[in-house]
Amino acid sequence: MVIDFLDLRKQINGIDKKIFNSIKKNIDKSSYIGGEDLLNFQKNFSKYLNVKYCLGVANGTDALEIAIKCLNLKKKSEIIVPANTWISTAESVINNNHKLRFVDVDETHNICVKDLKRKISNNTSAIIIVHLYGNLANVEKIKKISSKYSVKIIEDCAQSHGAELNGKKTSSFGDISTFSFFPSKNLGCFGDGGCIVTNKKDLFLKAKKIANHGGLKKNSHSIIGRNSRLDNIQAGILNIKLNYLDKWISLREKQAKFYKHNLNGVGDIKFIKQIENSRSSNHLFVIKTNKRNKLKKYLLKKKIYTAIHYPLSLPQMPVFKKKHKFYCSKMNAVKWSNNIISLPIGEHMNKTKIKKVCLSIKSFFNG
Ligand SMILES: Cc1ncc(COP(=O)(O)O)c(C=O)c1O
């Protein structure tokens, strides 16, 4: 039995006809840019998140770049970013000509509150909170610390569609939040897509302006903007998939529980810590072991495909290493980049497959 890390075709089994019909409808109407599906998706997704405004953009990286731009931070501001995240979170800071300040991660693999206290200062203008793997960052504590410095909070929810803290969805804690609809995300489209959400009308209108060549009306450009759109065909696909998101998250939750039940106490395996009263979207199921590389090879021999998110933490990344090496070597993010391994999870998985993965991991550790 081959166990793929990901098999996106399985996710749309049973809803593919609806999706094909939606694509056909928009092709028949030549409705590609803007349109009814985009308006509906923006409305439906903000309702799902319980956030007032949603703006579809071209991808999650654009969403971050535009969100930062909206905040009108002073030139060369310092923005705090967790040391383990996808490159886009940091890229968006540099592309806005601001300064990066990496903060270490804790057992949740998100911003470490202790390190945040050490690194935040009067030079800090914003913090980008990432809910990595779909696992909640300690938003309440981060907000408490940041309120003393009146810094802006951006939530990068690219991996946390539907994740919650005390029943409140991620994206509703900060000033402005961003999502990616990259195909492999819990809510993904058939190409690139993303959105910005906020409860603040002024930020929403600013984002809309920036994403639409600097103008809210056609042929009237009041600032230098860019072109960043979620197209109508993708929005139509997302509208259909949104109806299944909670079901998919529940399935992932069950799978994560089953993994934990089977792998508890096996070898030196450790799980990612979840903060109290939070519900992860389980976008990724990550475990830690000192024997990561050997385990990965062993599983591959058994045709079990795994991944690493991410093999290098950002302070180790060639583009940042020179500037940050003096404090990176002792970081958890750096240490754990050698230990983390993501196991297959999602609609293509079932109990039998998870059992096989777990039995293989047990046989690796127990011989
Ligand atoms: C945490 C995080 N931020 C931002 C992004 C960027 O999203 P996109 O690939 O849609 O630009 C991703 C995508 O993988 C991500 O995981």
Side-chain angles (χ1 to χ4, degrees), residues 58-64 85-89 130-132 156-159 178-182 184-185 192-194 283 310:
N59 55 65
T61 310
D62 273 14
L64 280 163
T85 173
W86 176 240
I87 183 87
S88 305
T89 320
V130 183
H131 306 287
L132 202 69
D156 178 350
C157 304
Q159 302 192 6
T178 63
F179 286 89
S180 161
F181 302 124
F182 185 81
S184 64
K185 303 299 185 202
D192 275 314
H283 171 55
Y310 297 93

Side-chain angles (χ1 to χ4, degrees), residues 52-165:
K52 278 191 191 150
Y53 305 101
C54 170
L55 175 76
V57 294
N59 55 65
T61 310
D62 273 14
L64 280 163
E65 285 185 19
I66 295 168
I68 293 173
K69 197 155 266 162
C70 284
L71 295 175
N72 269 338
L73 305 175
K74 60 178 192 296
K75 273 190 182 163
K76 301 215 180 288
S77 281
E78 199 172 273
I79 301 184
I80 283 177
V81 166
N84 185 29
T85 173
W86 176 240
I87 183 87
S88 305
T89 320
E91 228 174 13
S92 60
V93 172
I94 302 297
N95 282 336
N96 269 296
N97 288 317
H98 293 308
K99 285 186 197 156
L100 262 179
R101 183 90 165 130
F102 289 123
V103 159
D104 204 2
V105 299
D106 62 15
E107 304 280 342
T108 65
H109 283 236
N110 290 313
I111 284 181
C112 168
V113 170
K114 256 195 195 165
D115 201 38
L116 176 65
K117 279 185 188 162
R118 279 195 288 264
K119 306 263 169 74
I120 197 167
S121 73
N122 291 327
N123 298 326
T124 312
S125 294
I127 299 174
I128 308 184
I129 297 176
V130 183
H131 306 287
L132 202 69
Y133 312 148
N135 192 31
L136 260 289
N138 209 332
V139 268
E140 303 293 7
K141 283 195 181 154
I142 295 170
K143 275 176 77 174
K144 211 169 166 189
I145 296 163
S146 65
S147 66
K148 289 183 199 153
Y149 295 86
S150 62
V151 304
K152 302 285 182 195
I153 303 269
I154 301 165
E155 277 181 86
D156 178 350
C157 304
Q159 302 192 6
S160 69
H161 314 67
E164 294 175 1
L165 176 66

